[in-house]
Amino acid sequence: MTNERRVLVHPDKEALTASVAARFLTKTIDIVDDQGAANIALTGGTMGIAVLEAVNASPARDTIDWSKVHFWWGDERFVPRDSPDRNERQAREALLDHIAVPPENVHPFPSSDETPDIDEAARLYAAELEAFAHEGWPVPKFDITFLGVGPDGHIASLFPDRPGIREEKASVIAERDSPKPPPQRLSLTRPVINSSDRIWLVLSGTDKASALGLALAGASYTEVPVAGAKGRKRTVFFVDKDAAVDVPENLIAPSY
């Protein structure tokens, strides 16, 4: 395992989303060909959804056998199922409702109207992960995990200096007092995220530059959670020029 960390810089947000979408399609085809199936963990946020929209718009979209792809989420807002705030709803509108993925291959977090107790919702998602676990693991083998990054450096719903980012045993946590609304959220934990073969972080804008620079400079992951995101094979930061202003030149990859 190479456990590489790379930063790929793109001229603007449009080029960034198009590049990530193209790489996702190519890599997913390779994974399905090699393994027979793929597990993908999605993220919400502006850039996460923009990437899914770009995948949907690609002429290569239907070259993937979507029946062999399972979709999961890194985190979710604990709101009703039909809320526009749900990452699931946004992902369905951007991509999932437009491709031939079987309903049983889509694994959303429980919603607050279906499972009002957030602790029970966390337990149910942990059980869903375990039901599809890789041999000897408590969770599936995620082939690609997408992550966004907040200006404070948070990933999924793991926030700086909060108990969630320190959790080492559970696969799913319930966040009751998120510093970013809505306050109640569900999230995979850092060990689960880091069990992924590949972590792809997609960042755009000057407000993300400080968090990215701190992460690459070796900041504590409890203070800057993105610093603790490390895939088993590869960790790639896909960024635009605005987000890359504090990245050391030696970490910027000319190609990938």
Side-chain angles (χ1 to χ4, degrees):
M1 296 181 186
T2 57
N3 197 17
E4 296 175 339
R5 267 184 149 186
R6 292 289 183 268
V7 182
L8 298 180
V9 181
H10 302 75
D12 53 42
K13 185 185 298 185
E14 291 72 24
L16 170 60
T17 54
S19 174
V20 177
R23 292 175 189 276
F24 170 72
L25 287 162
T26 301
K27 179 54 68 176
T28 302
I29 289 170
D30 290 344
I31 292 167
V32 170
D33 284 348
D34 290 345
Q35 302 177 174
N39 283 282
I40 309 297
L42 300 177
T43 186
T46 302
M47 294 309 298
I49 299 305
V51 168
L52 297 185
E53 291 172 341
V55 171
N56 187 50
S58 171
R61 183 193 72 182
D62 295 327
T63 59
I64 291 176
D65 182 352
W66 294 108
S67 70
K68 297 180 179 178
V69 180
H70 285 253
F71 290 100
W72 305 79
W73 275 265
D75 74 324
E76 184 58 275
R77 290 84 178 263
F78 194 56
V79 293
R81 178 74 64 183
D82 63 354
S83 170
D85 286 339
R86 269 185 73 88
N87 293 334
E88 176 203 357
R89 176 172 170 176
Q90 295 173 24
R92 288 186 182 277
E93 292 174 350
L95 175 65
L96 302 184
D97 286 348
H98 306 282
I99 57 176
V101 58
E104 62 270 21
N105 286 19
V106 180
H107 307 272
F109 278 95
S111 60
S112 64
D113 54 337
E114 295 169 346
T115 309
D117 184 327
I118 194 171
D119 289 321
E120 175 66 5
R123 188 195 68 77
L124 287 173
Y125 206 64
E128 179 85 353
L129 291 165
E130 188 174 2
F132 288 83
H134 189 58
E135 184 176 351
W137 295 15
V139 296
K141 185 178 77 67
F142 293 114
D143 298 291
I144 299 172
T145 291
F146 283 101
L147 291 175
V149 180
D152 62 353
H154 82 264
I155 52 172
S157 284
L158 305 176
F159 294 94
D161 299 314
R162 295 193 61 80
I165 187 59
R166 296 182 174 88
E167 177 60 53
E168 295 290 336
K169 295 181 180 179
S171 59
V172 181
I173 57 121
E175 171 58 68
R176 289 179 165 77
D177 190 22
S178 162
K180 181 180 179 182
Q184 290 194 317
R185 294 159 173 254
L186 296 162
S187 181
L188 301 185
T189 56
R190 190 179 72 95
V192 173
I193 289 170
N194 285 353
S195 72
S196 309
D197 276 355
R198 302 162 192 84
I199 295 177
W200 289 7
L201 303 104
V202 187
L203 297 81
S204 172
T206 55
D207 63 329
K208 308 298 177 68
S210 176
L212 177 60
L214 288 169
L216 295 172
S220 164
Y221 72 81
T222 59
E223 297 176 0
V224 185
V226 63
K230 296 178 182 179
R232 296 173 69 245
K233 290 184 177 179
R234 186 170 289 118
T235 306
V236 185
F237 294 85
F238 297 92
V239 305
D240 66 5
K241 283 187 175 179
D242 288 341
V245 293
D246 292 332
V247 176
E249 284 291 332
N250 65 304
L251 293 181
I252 297 176
S255 62
Y256 171 51

